[in-house]
Every structure is written in C-alpha cells, then in structure tokens.
Amino acid sequence: IDKAEGGGIANNGLGTLALRNSTVSGNSVSLAVTDTVLGDEASGGGILNQNTTLTLENSSIINNTVSSVTAATTGFDIANGGGILNLGAMAVRNSTVRSNTVSFSTAAAQPNMFAAGAGIDTRGTTTIDGCTISSNALAVTTISQDPTSGVGEAGGGVHVEGTATIRGSQIAGNSVTTTAYGGFAAANGGGIDDDGSLILLASSVRDNHTSTT
C-alpha cells in the first residue's frame, strides 16, 4: 500500500494543533503509482488531522492540492481532503476553505477508485461555524472500458463520514466531475456529501455542481 499524506501539516496523534490568524496555502500531496499494488491513498493536501484535535480560527486554507495517478492494476484507491482531511476532532471557526483540489486519473484496466472532500473530508467529529467553503473541485478520470470497474466522487465542498455540525456558513461554487469510459461512475454532492451524521444550521448551500460523462 502506497501513501502520501499531509502536504502542509500532518497532525498525527501525539499532540493537539491550534491555528489562529494563519494561512495554509499552496501545499500539495502527489502520488504516482506505476506498479501493481494492493491500493494507494493520497490525502490531506493542506492539513491531515489524525487521532487528535485540530482548531482553526480566523484562518485560510486555500489552493492546496491532492493528486493521484495510477498506471497499473491496483486495489482500492483513495484521494481525499484537498484542503483538510480530519480523522479526529476538529473545530473550524470564522475561516475560509477555498480553491482546493483533488484530482485522480488512472490508466488501470480495472480501476476501483474513490475521491472525496476537495475542501474538507471529515471522518471524525467536526464543527464548522461562520465559515466560507467555496470554489473547491474534485475531478476523477479513467480511460478503462471494463464494465466491472468503478469510480466515484463525493463532496466538492465538504464530505462527511462521521459527525458534523455546520452553522452560519456559506458552501458555494464547489464542484464534482467524473469522466469515465466504461463501468460505474458517480459524482455526488457538489457542495456537501453526507455519509454520516450532519446538522446544518442557518447556512447557505448554493451554486455547487456535479457532472458525470
């Protein structure tokens, strides 16, 4: 299994992290796989928070990227969290998550891929309060024509696979795009994709987009 994680900051369980009046920008996670492997994962272009606590206040997470390219048969491949991947406890207040990207392309004969959360992918406990999450983009491309293959994407702005509360926030102009030539293809939740437990309060979700070709 090949992994690349935490392009800007990796907060991995040994302490807590608080960012205030800070910017996390222009960081990247890149994974290129040319051999046959059990699976690969590229995640947390800006920040990876794993098994610990992250607090963001009055901060910006912008223009971070996660990119994965596979050229051979692999197992289940994942690319997630262009801005932030949360696998712990996270609070984001009065902050901006903007113009982060997750891209995934493969020439594998039988791809089995999933990409999630171009802005934020949270699989722990999260509160988002008074934030703007905008112009984040997920894109997956496969050239396989195998009818048994599958590719999917979820959550251009936010992907929830845990517990999350979003309050007083704007989720706008995010996108999910899947291009596939065979097999199963899915694009879900241009703004928010909820696969867990989400409470949305006094917030706006507008002008987001999904497409599959």
Side-chain angles (χ1 to χ4, degrees):
I1 298 176
D2 298 319
K3 285 190 175 184
E5 301 174 314
I9 299 171
N11 191 35
N12 278 316
L14 298 178
T16 61
L17 173 64
L19 296 179
R20 297 182 175 90
N21 304 306
S22 299
T23 298
V24 179
S25 177
N27 303 288
S28 64
V29 167
S30 180
L31 184 63
V33 178
T34 59
D35 57 347
T36 301
V37 295
L38 295 176
D40 62 75
E41 182 173 355
S43 57
I47 301 173
L48 167 67
N49 184 58
Q50 186 168 11
N51 300 323
T52 187
T53 300
L54 169 65
T55 301
L56 293 173
E57 294 181 348
N58 302 309
S59 294
S60 297
I61 312 298
I62 56 176
N63 294 321
N64 301 286
T65 64
V66 169
S67 174
S68 181
V69 179
T70 62
T73 302
T74 64
F76 186 59
D77 303 324
I78 300 172
N80 54 353
I84 304 170
L85 172 61
N86 175 50
L87 302 172
M90 178 174 73
V92 187
R93 304 183 187 98
N94 302 319
S95 295
T96 298
V97 180
R98 174 171 51 82
S99 299
N100 302 285
T101 62
V102 173
S103 65
F104 205 154
S105 63
T106 183
Q110 293 180 304
N112 187 10
M113 325 189 303
F114 182 68
I120 297 173
D121 185 12
T122 177
R123 298 161 187 261
T125 301
T126 296
T127 59
I128 297 170
D129 198 345
C131 295
T132 298
I133 301 172
S134 65
S135 302
N136 302 287
L138 278 175
V140 166
T141 302
T142 173
I143 64 171
S144 172
Q145 297 186 18
D146 189 327
T148 66
S149 66
V151 297
E153 299 180 273
V158 181
H159 174 248
V160 177
E161 196 170 309
T163 301
T165 300
I166 300 175
R167 180 187 297 107
S169 297
Q170 308 292 316
I171 316 294
N174 304 285
S175 65
V176 175
T177 304
T178 301
T179 303
Y181 294 89
F184 173 78
N188 300 313
I192 302 172
D193 184 78
D194 176 27
D195 293 319
S197 177
L198 171 65
I199 299 173
L200 187 65
L201 300 170
S203 297
S204 174
V205 181
R206 59 180 177 80
D207 301 326
N208 302 286
H209 178 70
T210 62
S211 67
T212 301
T213 58

